Amino acid sequence: MASLPTFKHCKLAVISSYVPRRCGIATFCSDLTRAMTEELGNHGELYVLAIDDIPEGYRYPDEVRFQIRSNVQADYRLAADFILSNQANALIVQHEYGIFGGPAGAHILRLLREVPVPVITTLHTVLAAPTPEQRKVMDELWRLSDRLVVMSQRAIDMLREIYGVPAERIAYIPHGIPDVPFVDPNYHKAQFKAEGRRVILSFGLLSPNKGIEVMIEAMPEIIRRFPDVIYFILGATHPHLKKVHGEAYRTSLQRRVVDLGLVENVRFRNQFVDLEELLEYIGAADLYVTPYLNEAQITSGTLAYAVGSGKPVVSTPYWHAQELLADGRGILVPFRDPAAMAEATNYLFENDIERNQMRIKAYHHCRNMVWKQVAREYLLLVQAAQEERMERPRPLPRHRKRVGRIEELPELDLSHLRALTDDTGILQHAMHTTPDRQHGYCLDDCGRALVVCALHDQLFQSNDLDALANVYLAYLNHAFIQRSRRFHNFMSYSRQWLDNEGSEDSHGRALWGLGMMAAHATNENLRSVSVSLFQPAVGVVEGFSSPRSWAYALLGIHAYLEHYGGDAGVRRLRLLLAEKLFALFREHADQEWPWFETTATYSNATIPHALILAGTWIPDGPMREQGLRTLRWLCDVQRSDQGYFSFIGNSGWYPRGGEKARFDQQPIEAAQLCYACAEAYRATVDEQWLAESRLAVEWFLGRNDLDVPIYDFASGGCRDGLSPGGPNFNQGAESTLAWLISLLTFLNQVSRQTLHVKPGGALEQADSTRADTVVAQADMSH
């Protein structure tokens, strides 16, 4: 056995989800951390930086010394500072795409770029067919890591063949297991009221990919041969599944158990049990089954625990099972084949000698997988990485020029949005921060509110705003006029419509919100409702005369086509509206005045934004360049001598040949400019556009003509404009939504910037085909 590292004092930092969070990787990291701490003894110390998936975090044990909110990018920079200030010798990262925030978990890259110590990254997920974003993350992750640790030989092959990772950067360390004695299952059965019965076990966080229904379908055939058999299904429903779908999957399994008459032979335990009780369940099992539904499972901690406890296993042939159950350590059966599961199970129950030989082979094979040995291997790997760094120092990756500092922006606060929203919609106006019911509601604001919900879902990949989105969608649904395919706009507080038909611009903003929800809503029900309203409402825009209604509709159409790129009718409408908008510029714009009207008025940046989007994705080069040129002009004419934005005021606007009105400046101008410049950045990867987007956000925070914040840090709302005497202290819906759209837009773009995503025309095509990605995902989810 190799000797332990001989550090004078080893100080290790570990980044991972962590117990008591119900997550397989949290359990893995807790077990590994405990084992490494024991192995280090007085020669070192170890602390954990835990990744939180809920705002309030968890009540962690003492070894957790820093908490990182997964979707708050600034926390990753602060975590890097914490690691540096605490002088860690090395960093161990437990990696799975879904743990970290940002596109494909890209936020972790920001931290790794800023730490100078050796990095050991354990890959709990390897993708055979990664998305472009996942590929970018993995390509940079392995370059930032001194070693990648994998838990199967197949993962080594995938990393070398698919990702081009050099062999010397990859280390194989098996999944750890508790060191338990080889015991007779009958020893533990009494405590589960299973004396004298044959016990089959599956455990882990419950989700549809586990294929439990396949084993349930196999049970009648097993019971016909062995009536005393009992099947324990142990584990709580996966928290992320439960959050979106509740207990629908578990209920479907329980209903099937009743339908098949298996109530006496199948028991569910809907609980995340501690390690001691889990090992007692495993100890009581005569047979362990993993009927997973597809092969793309690169590591299974539950399988490792079962095999390491000396359990005979019947499993489908996912990747990790193929390796761990080789050489007679288990039986593999085809996917989704209840008859084969039943046949293999009955065979093992009928052949005691072979079953016991399988137990012995499994138990002895896994002795090098006990946590003590696994911890030792990690510490030796850390030592090797440190020695290499001393011999061949590796410079930190060069940072791209930073545009602004995201950590200086306030955190997202939805308090005022919630205060303005009731069960009808979002109230238009407020007296300071108090909602003003006299003016009721409008379609414009509910459409913008849906944009906020969609941007939030896009950034955080959560359904936290589903209740709000339901309210806004209900307003749009009620406002829709089937006969004319138009919307009402204004409604009184007493829920009476105040118009026969809303404006063209309000219709366009409604389509913007619906299109964004169709593209980015994480809740499929909300997505479906959005599509069912978008589709009948979009066609009438062809007959509209308002250029801004065309532009807003184009924003919504583009978002819709991100998810439904094959809709030929909507694609045709995009082309028609874009050409109409472009024609206005060809007719009226010139070098001196690159605008389509004689006066620049309100929501100006929406127009070039629509041209940039349409020109990029149709594609039409001249259209795209017109949009970029016009947006550059808007930025330049609205920039003060001191470098901040001074937006066109509504007291006179900006007529051709005249003076630009300085006041009153409206938050909608800052929001639409921020939104448009972010799109210009995506189209060009010119970081100046990201700087302009950031500058528009800073207008809300006090970088403006009066040097006063428009955003209210106390309420989370936004004041209704900037006048010569100061801000309008009323905080209505339009201004508050403008702030939220600006902040979320910029946060989304900075998050994407972490990946250095390049522009192009391939994403829409990829979204329209939506080919399933093969995911080789780890599972240690008891």
Side-chain angles (χ1 to χ4, degrees):
M1 183 177 290
S3 60
L4 276 174
T6 54
F7 301 120
K8 291 181 179 178
H9 186 76
C10 176
K11 196 170 189 178
L12 298 180
V14 179
I15 295 178
S16 176
S17 56
Y18 208 73
V19 294
R21 177 174 170 181
R22 294 184 176 184
C23 163
I25 297 173
T27 304
F28 175 95
C29 187
S30 175
D31 291 339
L32 177 61
T33 297
R34 187 182 305 111
M36 287 195 298
T37 300
E38 292 174 357
E39 287 297 300
L40 282 170
N42 296 325
H43 297 288
E45 60 179 296
L46 186 153
Y47 62 88
V48 176
L49 298 90
I51 304 295
D52 289 337
D53 63 339
I54 54 176
E56 62 271 24
Y58 299 89
R59 297 184 66 177
Y60 290 111
D62 291 343
E63 61 265 26
V64 174
R65 293 176 53 189
F66 195 92
Q67 293 173 241
I68 302 171
R69 292 164 295 179
S70 62
N71 286 306
V72 179
Q73 197 179 48
D75 281 8
Y76 292 83
R77 183 195 61 80
L78 295 173
D81 291 344
F82 184 85
I83 293 168
L84 292 173
S85 64
N86 282 272
Q87 300 179 324
N89 303 124
L91 173 64
I92 297 175
V93 178
Q94 301 300 325
H95 180 269
E96 198 279 325
Y97 292 98
I99 291 179
F100 306 106
H107 285 354
I108 188 61
L109 301 178
R110 179 173 188 180
L111 183 153
L112 296 180
R113 291 169 188 154
E114 298 187 16
V115 293
V117 299
V119 176
I120 309 297
T121 301
T122 303
L123 299 180
H124 292 260
T125 295
V126 179
L127 302 172
T131 66
E133 289 180 339
Q134 290 163 343
R135 180 61 189 258
K136 287 176 181 292
V137 167
M138 184 56 67
D139 284 345
E140 185 166 1
L141 182 65
W142 78 255
R143 289 182 172 88
L144 292 171
S145 302
D146 294 72
R147 290 290 191 281
L148 296 180
V149 175
V150 295
M151 292 172 269
S152 69
Q153 294 297 324
R154 182 182 288 268
I156 295 176
D157 296 338
M158 292 170 64
L159 288 174
R160 295 185 65 185
E161 295 169 7
I162 298 172
Y163 297 93
V165 182
E168 62 271 16
R169 298 283 281 276
I170 308 171
Y172 168 76
I173 301 178
H175 195 294
I177 59 172
D179 193 1
V180 298
F182 188 77
V183 299
D184 187 332
N186 292 307
Y187 180 80
H188 291 287
K189 288 182 180 180
Q191 66 195 93
F192 302 118
K193 298 180 180 180
E195 308 98 311
R197 303 187 69 172
R198 300 170 195 268
V199 175
I200 303 172
L201 174 67
S202 292
F203 75 90
L205 291 173
L206 196 63
S207 59
N209 65 308
K210 301 296 178 64
I212 300 298
E213 65 274 13
V214 177
M215 189 60 194
I216 290 174
E217 295 294 333
M219 285 299 293
E221 182 60 30
I222 298 170
I223 293 168
R224 271 192 283 273
R225 179 68 182 85
F226 299 99
D228 64 341
V229 74
I230 184 167
Y231 179 30
F232 285 112
I233 302 169
L234 173 64
T237 301
H238 197 291
H240 292 170
L241 176 72
K242 187 175 181 179
K243 189 174 183 181
V244 177
H245 300 290
E247 293 286 6
Y249 179 59
R250 181 182 298 275
T251 301
S252 71
L253 297 177
Q254 292 170 331
R255 189 167 56 247
R256 189 57 181 155
V257 166
V258 173
D259 291 344
L260 293 174
L262 303 175
V263 175
E264 298 299 320
N265 300 91
V266 178
R267 293 184 194 171
F268 290 87
R269 176 79 185 276
N270 186 3
Q271 188 175 348
F272 190 89
V273 299
D274 61 28
L275 179 61
E276 181 180 357
E277 187 173 5
L278 171 64
L279 295 178
E280 290 170 347
Y281 267 102
I282 296 174
D286 295 291
L287 184 69
Y288 184 72
V289 294
T290 55
Y292 295 170
L293 297 183
N294 64 74
E295 69 174 359
Q297 184 89 16
I298 203 67
T299 303
S300 172
T302 60
L303 180 65
Y305 270 38
V307 177
S309 299
K311 296 298 153 180
V313 177
V314 175
S315 176
T316 50
Y318 53 92
W319 292 331
H320 195 208
Q322 292 176 32
E323 289 187 25
L324 199 52
L325 301 182
D327 301 323
R329 293 185 293 271
I331 296 179
L332 299 178
V333 299
F335 294 105
R336 305 174 188 268
D337 192 338
M341 291 292 295
E343 181 181 355
T345 300
N346 286 338
Y347 174 80
L348 288 175
F349 282 150
E350 290 166 352
N351 294 273
D352 292 344
I353 294 176
E354 185 162 346
R355 188 175 73 252
N356 286 323
Q357 287 177 341
M358 186 178 292
R359 290 185 63 207
I360 294 168
K361 287 181 181 179
Y363 187 80
H364 285 300
H365 176 77
C366 294
R367 289 313 87 204
N368 69 332
M369 294 169 56
V370 296
W371 281 116
K372 179 181 179 67
Q373 180 61 23
V374 167
R376 185 183 294 264
E377 294 296 327
Y378 269 92
L379 293 173
L380 289 170
L381 196 61
V382 168
Q383 184 182 46
Q386 283 196 317
E387 290 172 353
E388 286 183 11
R389 282 289 189 101
M390 292 181 68
E391 295 174 3
R392 296 186 297 276
R394 183 142 45 97
L396 284 173
R398 289 190 178 185
H399 292 240
R400 297 182 345 144
K401 180 182 177 182
R402 290 185 179 178
V403 182
R405 297 179 61 195
I406 187 65
E407 61 271 16
E408 294 175 354
L409 298 180
E411 294 183 18
L412 183 68
D413 184 349
L414 300 171
S415 301
H416 194 57
L417 176 66
R418 297 184 190 278
L420 290 173
T421 303
D422 60 18
D423 60 354
T424 300
I426 182 168
L427 290 158
Q428 292 186 75
H429 298 293
M431 300 173 291
H432 287 244
T433 59
T434 302
D436 185 354
R437 297 171 177 172
Q438 293 187 35
H439 300 282
Y441 318 87
C442 70
L443 181 73
D444 299 274
D445 291 336
C446 285
R448 294 187 188 101
L450 287 175
V451 174
V452 169
C453 293
L455 288 170
H456 182 277
D457 280 12
Q458 183 184 22
L459 178 62
F460 296 111
Q461 290 299 300
S462 76
N463 57 358
D464 293 344
L465 299 195
D466 282 4
L468 292 177
N470 260 317
V471 170
Y472 308 137
L473 280 172
Y475 187 95
L476 266 66
N477 182 57
H478 189 52
F480 188 61
I481 307 166
Q482 291 285 348
R483 181 184 66 258
S484 64
R485 304 297 177 94
R486 295 287 299 274
F487 292 96
H488 291 289
N489 189 3
F490 297 107
M491 176 187 277
S492 69
Y493 185 71
S494 58
R495 294 189 175 181
Q496 302 297 312
W497 290 117
L498 303 178
D499 54 32
N500 294 321
E501 193 173 78
S503 67
E504 292 182 357
D505 286 6
S506 69
H507 192 105
R509 280 187 279 270
L511 291 174
W512 178 29
L514 291 171
M516 288 290 289
M517 287 294 291
H520 303 300
T522 55
N523 184 312
E524 287 297 329
N525 294 315
L526 298 180
R527 185 193 299 274
S528 296
V529 172
S530 301
V531 170
S532 70
L533 285 169
F534 180 90
Q535 288 176 339
V538 70
V540 296
V541 182
E542 183 174 347
F544 285 3
S545 59
S546 165
R548 284 173 178 78
S549 71
W550 304 340
Y552 277 114
L554 282 167
L555 300 188
I557 285 170
H558 172 75
Y560 169 85
L561 288 174
E562 285 186 43
H563 199 79
Y564 302 95
D567 192 324
V570 174
R571 294 173 75 98
R572 181 195 64 80
L573 181 60
R574 174 178 63 180
L575 179 62
L576 186 148
L577 294 178
E579 288 180 339
K580 290 171 70 171
L581 197 59
F582 190 27
L584 291 177
F585 280 86
R586 288 198 299 264
E587 182 177 351
H588 299 287
D590 55 36
Q591 288 295 113
E592 180 184 345
W593 184 256
W595 195 239
F596 71 101
E597 297 172 310
T598 57
T599 301
T601 55
Y602 69 97
S603 192
N604 294 307
T606 308
I607 304 295
H609 186 174
L611 290 177
I612 294 167
L613 268 177
T616 300
W617 295 97
I618 287 174
D620 185 317
M623 182 185 293
R624 176 179 178 273
E625 291 309 309
Q626 179 66 64
L628 291 169
R629 185 165 57 252
T630 303
L631 184 60
R632 170 53 56 207
W633 173 77
L634 278 176
C635 289
D636 291 344
V637 299
Q638 295 182 113
R639 194 188 319 279
S640 70
D641 293 340
Q642 290 75 33
Y644 57 78
F645 281 130
S646 177
F647 294 107
I648 295 170
N650 61 10
S651 297
W653 306 117
Y654 182 26
R656 179 169 186 169
E659 293 292 323
K660 175 175 72 72
R662 191 176 180 187
F663 297 103
D664 290 346
Q665 296 177 37
Q666 300 299 307
I668 188 177
E669 300 304 324
Q672 296 305 137
L673 189 72
C674 172
Y675 198 47
C677 289
E679 185 57 45
Y681 171 75
R682 285 191 289 273
T684 64
V685 197
D686 180 349
E687 292 201 7
Q688 183 59 40
W689 290 117
L690 199 59
E692 304 286 25
S693 184
R694 168 69 188 233
L695 198 59
V697 176
E698 291 179 346
W699 178 87
F700 290 93
L701 304 177
R703 198 172 179 189
N704 52 48
D705 279 311
L706 300 184
D707 199 27
V708 295
I710 308 300
Y711 171 64
D712 185 339
F713 289 83
S715 71
C718 179
R719 300 175 176 98
D720 282 350
L722 194 65
S723 62
N728 180 335
F729 286 97
N730 296 329
Q731 297 177 24
E734 180 181 293
S735 56
T736 296
L737 292 167
W739 157 251
L740 292 173
I741 287 171
S742 300
L743 180 62
L744 285 166
T745 294
F746 188 74
L747 291 176
N748 263 300
Q749 191 51 57
V750 170
S751 178
R752 288 177 56 84
Q753 188 198 21
T754 306
L755 294 179
H756 308 168
V757 175
K758 296 180 180 180
L763 287 180
E764 182 178 301
Q765 181 180 359
D767 285 337
S768 67
T769 56
R770 293 276 168 175
D772 290 336
T773 300
V774 179
V775 178
Q777 187 171 11
D779 167 53
M780 178 55 233
S781 50
H782 70 267

